[in-house]
Amino acid sequence: MNQELLLEFAHFKDSVDPLGAFRDEFVIEDPDLIYLDGNSLGRLPKRSIKRMRDLVEVQWGGRLVRGWGEDWIDLPNRIGAKIAKLIGASSDEVLVCDSTSVNFFKLAMAALEFQKGRSEIVTDSANFPSDVYLLQGCAKQTGHTLHVCEPEQIGEKLGPNTALLTLSHVSFKSGHLHSMRDLTAKAQACGARVLWDLSHSVGALPIELNACHADLAVGCTYKYLNGGPGAPAFLYVRRDLQEKLLNPIWGWFGQTNPFGFSLDYQPAAGIQRFMVGTPPVLSLAAVECGVDLMLEAGIEQLRAKSVEQTEFLIELWRQLLQPLGFSLNSPASSSDRGSHISLGHPNAFQIDQCLIEEMKVIPDFRHPDNIRLGVTPISTTFFVLAEAMLRIKKTVDSGAYKKYPTVAKGVT
Ligand SMILES: *Cc1c(COP(=O)(O)O)cnc(C)c1O
């Protein structure tokens, strides 16, 4: 397809997109800047600006400490209940608190303590490094042995000694989507517990925690959920496990009566025991705006558009970029894939820098040679995807990337 026809086709797809109107819910300062990193930091919803302003000026400024009783104290549970709808959980099984890393530690340690007598932890090499570091730290503290296996070997690694299996539902690098249903069943058949990290799947595809009988999960809110930089994360504990597990961090918000000021820790009933300290109200409010948008758009519709858009990218890769030496480092079938596409190229790091500096395209670079293109279906248009692929082609055709350094530094 020539360039003109391609862009015309993309425009047509956008004109019949049932989610098209949602793009206007977001701040898009420069329409010519192509943003394909919404799976690292989601865009700013316009309604979050209004909400933050009200929160700071009216609630904090005017209501002061009275704000806690009026709205603030319920935010972790209220937003948790909304996220529950996106991940197939019940409203009393999800809390928004702390960071993904801290929640991961809390639930991993709780599961290991509960699974006493079993000595092994299993994860795969596609997992996010922070999760693997946390597991290394857990293993050091508890004496468990950590196995980091290849994704294809997970089944063989599970056995009567497995205490915990933990995986990223969608891999941050390749976008590979694990089968939550199959792996949960396999692990539970061995008597193991499973902790899922949903950071790269929540808000991008429907998740069925309850239907898969998942034990535990954590996830991030500043990626597809558009909660803002460093926004508090969420955790899920299946209801029947809540009373059996103990939070390893005993803070007053996880105590049965925080404002009783007793000097003895009594874990709160239910999901509440997985809280630690005072909720970050400003950040929580922004998370609620992002989650509301997801619920309004509908997770099934978001997934349908995401699948169409990642397929569109793969088709354009085949036509435009494969001949230039790019490889597809993501699963070819959408049923095995989340909402991003990784393209490999020997000069990926230089190309990435050139795209950002000169071509007004912001993808993400992932070591060692991946250019990651994140599709956030709530705000990404087909036109933007077509234009991005044309600009990547131009970057390579012109050789403009060659002047950029080959070694990474800082946040990417
Ligand atoms: C983004 C991400 C995190 C982020 O953890 P933080 O504690 O917010 O830094 C954790 N795990 C996975 C799989 C992620 O993709």
Side-chain angles (χ1 to χ4, degrees), residues 122-141:
V122 177
T123 189
D124 73 2
S125 57
N127 206 346
F128 189 65
S130 189
D131 296 25
V132 180
Y133 304 153
L134 287 156
L135 293 173
Q136 289 167 352
C138 290
K140 184 159 191 295
Q141 289 184 47

Side-chain angles (χ1 to χ4, degrees), residues 39-40 98-104 126-131 134 167-173 196-201 218-223 230-233 366 372:
N39 55 341
S40 183
D98 302 316
S99 64
T100 307
S101 298
V102 169
N103 286 334
F104 185 91
N127 206 346
F128 189 65
S130 189
D131 296 25
L134 287 156
L167 297 167
S168 283
H169 189 207
V170 168
S171 156
F172 77 105
K173 211 178 265 186
W196 288 100
D197 191 325
L198 308 177
S199 294
H200 276 279
S201 54
V218 297
C220 184
T221 63
Y222 51 76
K223 294 171 179 162
R366 282 293 175 263
R372 195 178 70 174

